[in-house]
Amino acid sequence: MDSLLQQLERFSEVLAVSRTTHVSTWDAATVRRALQWARYLRHVHRRFGRHARIRKALERRLQNQWKQEGGSGPAPALGLTNFQALGHCDLLLSLRLLANRALGDAAFHYLLQELFPGPGVPGAEEGTLQGSLALLARRRAAVHMLRSSAYRENPVLQEDSLMKTQAELLLERLQEVGEAHAEGPGRFLSRLWEHLPHNNFLKVTAAALLLPPSSPRHQEEESELGNPRRAGERGRELLHWLLGKSEVIVAFCRNLPAGLLTSVAGRHPEVSRVYLGLLTDWGRHLHYDLQKGIWIGTESQDVPWEELYGRFQSLCQAPPPLKDEVLTTLKSCKAQDGDFEVPGLSIWTDLLLALESGA
Amino acid sequence: MAQDSVGLSSDYQFWIQKLSVWKQASTLETQQDTCLYLPQFQEFLRQMYEALKEMDSNTVIERFPTIGQLLAKACRNPFILAYDESQKILIWCLCCLINKDPQNSGESQLNSWTRGLLSHILAAFRSDIKEVDLFTQGLGYAPADYYPGLLKNMVLSLVSELRENHLNGFNTQSRMAPERVRSLSRVCVPLVTLPDFEPLVEALLTYHGQEPQEVLWPEFFGAVNEAFLLKKICLPVSAVLCLWLRHLPSLEKAVLHLFEKLVSSERNCLRRIECFMKDSLLPEAACHPAIFRVVDEMFRYALLETEGAPEVLAAMQVFTRCFVEALEKENQQPKFALKTYFPYASPSLVMVLLQRPKDIPQGLWHRPLKRISEMLKEIVEDETQGSSGGPFENWFLLAHFGGWADIAAEQLLTSVGDAEPPEALLWLLAFSSSPGDGPQQRAQTMVEVKAVLSHLGRLLRSPTLSAGNLLAAAEESREGDPRPPACQQLTRRLLLNFLLWAPGGRAMARDVITLVSLPFPASCLSLTAQVEDGAD
């Protein structure tokens, strides 16, 4: 067992190195050894995939890397990231070496000979590296063709396949990180927030919060490992982190489209509470301009009336628990302000009037 | 070798030109043209590879100076990369360009360029979804990890969009525009054999828009059919049915493909024919009358062209049997009246013919047989009736259900020597073996058959029963002259039946068969199968 774990770690290092310029020192023999190693570990994956104890031990060792604090770049892990990756570690290694310009010509030539032996026994293609690489190229061409010809971004963001895929990946990774260390997810997410473009990240977060409770594949894997508690918990850590970081939740509520936020608020009452709180806060920053006859803000970052109205309108189109909560909030704010019916005195009155006439 | 390379050079010029026109296949015309040539281009690539792999990198450049251009252009065309094995063969060709030990800067540059192109194939189109790439990298995933999942999600999303059209009815807003559906079917042409695309192919095949004309691209049907016939794609019967209903050439190709398979196999026992038949999904699809009629028509042509070849006859009988089975399995109440399947036949005749002998106790077989014989006799010999087709049509109908003629023969022989053979059975046998005879000729045949039967009956009771006299009985006529050929076929068939059914016949079987060198008529295929099975 121990030797297996060592092998795992050492290969993980090799995999990490394969992306760096260090490979310029590799010759054909080194490449051969690396490929053999990958093949061996792939065999390990096949052999022990269903063996819960061994698999757990291997996973734990791989998850250790997530425990490390700091980390300069957004991607701390250059090596193997989870047990699943073992299943195609030879593919990962091959792709990295193929793309690495630092690899010498002789070593590269050898690599090509190993990876692409040419036409052989047709039936055995699927299992071979040659077959997998060709399949990957084919799939990428397929994605490109679909995107440029027939694909349209789904206006319902959480159902857009690109968003969904990213969301699924995020939750998957969070689960692994969470298994390694209880506070892992929080730190991991903070690191992502620091390094990735915010807009996409927020959209993916929303999509992740709106994914169905558990995909069938996960359920299957979990039942194999005897780990039933995972189902339905996947979004919890994400939600917890989101609500815990004020900077993030404010950006979340401010920048995402109204419809998307309504869906998220509908699914997660904790979010609806914070969202409503923010909306009321933003509303209070506006004052009535008597001359122009509209509500305006004083500072540039104030949320304008139109946007505020748009968001409330979307919320009022949500199904009952949320819709009622919103109306109750608006009415109580209106009451706090003095319960005026005349426009121009309380923004809450005006909002309610606009919503009623608009609806 | 020299001749090959000459051919290759001219092809090479052709393809370089084509690729230059296609560029990245971003317009309708270039996409259409690319799709038409995909298989040929792949074949050309294979030939190129065979030539290149014998040379080293420098020789390649000498021989084909513009090879770089060719390969680069091919790599930029996503349709080519998406098709079948083209991406793999392109990679092989590129591998031939890599120099293990570059001596000068020119060779190094070539290496570098080639490596770039290889990267492009395997890491292509990265700029397309930059945000996704960044995000997934941040998570520590490589494209190899998430591309399968992404493709699956995209396909599912498109499938649900296509399916939604059914439910929305007149809600024009959420319907997929016909141009998009068409474009989607075009994109699918090179990707039909990719397993991830199966749900999309199925959804497209079963898609019904509101437009009166066909919205899917015809080459799409052709590509799906090709893949289906070569077993490179797995489709449910409902999808295949849609394919054949919407695109007649595909159905015709499917039937021809079946014929080829049946004809090219060495020795076809019934079971094998049945296997091929069921595999082809044609019997199930034929439950839809339009498909049945087309297939039937093709059988008719085949029979006419081959002048009643036994193989075709046997295939048709198996087809009909499988078809009837499928009809019964499908639903208790038939969706279409029998007349839609057999418009030229009398419905009552068809009803009797459709009965399965297995469902009737053997002792009662003479009843339907008599009915069939009488009905056919009435139709065929009544000259005033022109409507139910001539003798050929009725023979053709009977030939579908070849089992009845066999049973008639069986009945005659199991009771050989006992009583007078019933006229109805004799008539049926005579008709089935030569439908074109006039009434007099048929009567003559019936007399001959009767004579053979009584001869066989006498032989049975005689102590000198041997393979020799059996054959003699079959070959010679009453007067000792050889019989007319159609009659000969019939008597030979009777002989075989005799070997199977008459008491003591089986004992003689091996001897007789070794003596006989001439081919047996088609229906004997079913009989030999029964001998093989040991069934009775």
Side-chain angles (χ1 to χ4, degrees), chain A residues 74-75 88 98 100-101 103 105 108-109 118-119 125 130 138-140 147 149-150 162 165-166 168 172-173, chain B residues 82 84 88 92 100 102 111-112 115-116 122 128 137-141 145 150 153 180 184 187 190 193 196:
Chain A
H88 54 260
L98 280 169
N100 196 336
R101 294 311 200 123
L103 191 63
D105 286 315
F108 191 78
H109 185 258
E125 271 302 290
Q130 180 170 260
R138 203 174 176 201
R139 281 177 164 152
R140 293 185 85 139
R147 277 193 43 101
S149 303
L162 282 176
T165 311
Q166 290 175 89
E168 283 166 2
E172 211 177 279
R173 188 56 94 212
Chain B
D84 201 29
K88 195 157 52 180
W92 292 341
K100 189 154 57 169
N111 265 10
S112 179
R115 283 167 80 152
L122 291 162
D128 223 41
Q137 261 176 49
L139 288 179
Y141 285 111
D145 294 317
L150 174 60
N153 279 342
R180 249 184 92 204
L184 194 53
V187 162
T193 54
D196 309 282

Side-chain angles (χ1 to χ4, degrees), chain A residues 19 66 74-77 79 81-82 85 88 91-92 95-110 112-113 116-120 125 130-131 133-152 154 159-170 172-173 176 188 192 196-197 200-201 204, chain B residues 31 46 49-50 53 78-79 81-85 87-88 91-92 94-95 98-102 108 111-113 115-116 118-119 121-126 128-129 131-151 153-155 157-158 161 176 180 183-184 186-188 190-197 200:
Chain A
R19 229 203 246 175
W66 301 110
T81 50
N82 58 17
H88 54 260
L91 190 67
L92 291 173
L95 284 168
R96 287 186 184 190
L97 288 176
L98 280 169
N100 196 336
R101 294 311 200 123
L103 191 63
D105 286 315
F108 191 78
H109 185 258
Y110 176 79
L112 287 182
Q113 275 184 331
F116 302 111
E125 271 302 290
Q130 180 170 260
L133 286 164
L135 185 58
L136 182 64
R138 203 174 176 201
R139 281 177 164 152
R140 293 185 85 139
V143 168
H144 172 83
M145 282 164 72
L146 279 180
R147 277 193 43 101
S148 51
S149 303
Y151 191 75
R152 294 286 176 279
N154 199 322
E159 287 173 19
D160 179 70
S161 16
L162 282 176
M163 278 296 146
K164 250 174 120 167
T165 311
Q166 290 175 89
E168 283 166 2
L169 291 173
L170 176 64
E172 211 177 279
R173 188 56 94 212
E176 286 158 11
F188 179 69
L192 286 179
L196 292 177
N200 190 48
F201 180 76
V204 174
Chain B
Q31 284 182 6
R46 259 192 231 277
Y49 170 66
E50 291 300 318
K53 75 177 185 193
F79 278 75
L81 286 182
Y83 178 69
D84 201 29
E85 299 193 310
Q87 73 289 126
K88 195 157 52 180
I91 293 176
W92 292 341
L94 284 169
C95 289
I98 291 287
N99 196 323
K100 189 154 57 169
D101 188 20
S108 288
N111 265 10
S112 179
W113 179 89
R115 283 167 80 152
L118 275 168
S119 254
I121 297 181
L122 291 162
F125 318 118
R126 190 178 277 270
D128 223 41
I129 30 183
E131 296 156 331
V132 178
D133 273 343
L134 268 176
F135 188 79
T136 50
Q137 261 176 49
L139 288 179
Y141 285 111
D145 294 317
Y146 69 81
Y147 253 80
L150 174 60
L151 188 57
N153 279 342
M154 288 176 86
V155 166
S157 156
L158 285 165
E161 262 195 85
M176 221 190 206
R180 249 184 92 204
S183 163
L184 194 53
R186 214 168 14 245
V187 162
C188 280
L191 289 161
V192 160
T193 54
L194 186 63
D196 309 282
F197 265 60
L200 187 54

Side-chain angles (χ1 to χ4, degrees), chain A residues 40-49 83-84 86-87:
Chain A
Y40 165 68
L41 282 173
R42 201 174 139 196
H43 168 77
V44 163
H45 174 266
R46 209 168 23 234
R47 181 100 163 61
F48 296 118
F83 186 74
Q84 240 181 320
L86 266 187

Side-chain angles (χ1 to χ4, degrees), chain A residues 71 74 198 209 296:
Chain A
H198 287 179
L209 289 173
I296 54 168

Side-chain angles (χ1 to χ4, degrees), chain B residues 334-487:
Chain B
K335 268 194 278 210
F336 300 98
L338 283 178
K339 201 147 179 71
T340 43
Y341 299 103
F342 302 101
Y344 304 120
S346 125
S348 36
L349 175 57
V350 175
M351 288 268 6
V352 184
L353 286 170
L354 272 175
Q355 284 179 302
R356 275 194 305 194
K358 272 187 281 187
D359 296 337
I360 308 170
Q362 199 162 345
L364 295 174
W365 278 352
H366 61 276
R367 284 211 207 129
L369 279 174
K370 193 148 168 273
R371 277 223 61 185
I372 293 172
S373 178
E374 280 167 6
M375 279 201 268
L376 275 172
K377 186 158 182 211
E378 198 185 311
I379 298 172
V380 169
E381 291 184 354
D382 181 357
E383 266 137 29
T384 59
Q385 244 193 36
S387 60
S388 298
F392 175 75
E393 280 305 321
N394 288 285
W395 172 83
F396 184 59
L397 177 66
L398 179 64
H400 277 82
F401 305 93
W404 288 111
D406 291 337
I407 287 172
E410 186 185 327
Q411 288 268 281
L412 283 173
L413 283 152
T414 42
S415 55
V416 74
D418 290 345
E420 272 282 300
E423 289 293 309
L425 297 185
L426 290 173
W427 190 95
L428 194 59
L429 261 187
F431 176 72
S432 81
S433 86
S434 36
D437 286 350
Q440 275 193 333
Q441 234 175 324
R442 189 161 298 133
Q444 174 75 349
T445 309
M446 285 163 69
V447 166
E448 289 283 342
V449 173
K450 216 195 271 191
V452 171
L453 285 170
S454 64
H455 195 160
L456 287 173
R458 279 201 305 279
L459 274 179
L460 252 188
R461 286 186 291 268
S462 88
T464 58
L465 181 61
S466 77
N469 348 15
L470 269 179
L471 263 180
E475 296 295 314
E476 288 170 3
S477 77
R478 251 183 337 172
E479 287 95 54
D481 310 316
R483 295 200 184 85
C487 218

Side-chain angles (χ1 to χ4, degrees), chain A residues 167-352:
Chain A
E168 283 166 2
L169 291 173
L170 176 64
L171 289 183
E172 211 177 279
R173 188 56 94 212
L174 279 181
Q175 182 171 320
E176 286 158 11
V177 171
E179 278 174 18
H181 192 231
E183 280 160 51
R187 274 205 292 265
F188 179 69
L189 286 165
S190 299
R191 198 160 47 219
L192 286 179
W193 176 252
E194 278 168 47
H195 290 106
L196 292 177
H198 287 179
N199 200 20
N200 190 48
F201 180 76
L202 288 173
K203 285 194 202 153
V204 174
T205 305
L209 289 173
L210 289 171
L211 278 179
S214 182
S215 74
R217 180 178 68 109
H218 268 99
Q219 276 178 336
E220 204 181 282
E221 278 181 15
E222 281 147 19
S223 60
E224 269 171 23
L225 298 174
N227 217 349
R229 77 182 182 96
R230 285 300 150 202
E233 272 200 17
R234 299 197 304 158
R236 282 251 232 108
E237 286 131 350
L238 180 62
L239 190 61
H240 181 77
W241 173 82
L242 178 67
L243 294 169
K245 285 208 105 162
S246 71
E247 171 201 354
V248 182
I249 190 73
V250 168
F252 189 82
C253 295
R254 187 72 214 272
N255 299 330
L256 289 180
L260 184 59
L261 278 168
T262 305
S263 305
V264 176
R267 181 87 100 79
H268 303 274
E270 311 97 317
V271 173
S272 74
R273 254 175 270 131
V274 175
Y275 187 33
L276 280 174
L278 283 171
L279 284 172
T280 50
D281 207 40
W282 294 335
R284 283 191 230 281
H285 278 153
L286 299 180
H287 67 270
Y288 196 65
D289 184 323
L290 218 59
Q291 268 188 323
K292 294 190 198 150
I294 51 168
W295 290 88
I296 54 168
T298 44
E299 290 152 46
S300 58
Q301 65 259 43
D302 282 338
V303 178
W305 161 267
E306 294 74 21
E307 198 183 312
L308 208 57
Y309 172 67
R311 289 180 184 278
F312 273 110
Q313 188 186 41
S314 169
L315 284 169
C316 286
Q317 283 163 359
L322 182 59
K323 175 180 180 170
D324 298 331
E325 196 186 327
V326 171
L327 287 172
T328 315
T329 310
L330 281 173
K331 287 188 185 139
S332 79
C333 285
K334 172 182 168 191
Q336 274 180 5
D337 270 6
D339 221 4
F340 297 110
E341 293 300 333
V342 180
L345 293 171
S346 160
I347 189 170
W348 311 115
T349 313
D350 288 15
L351 274 171
L352 278 167

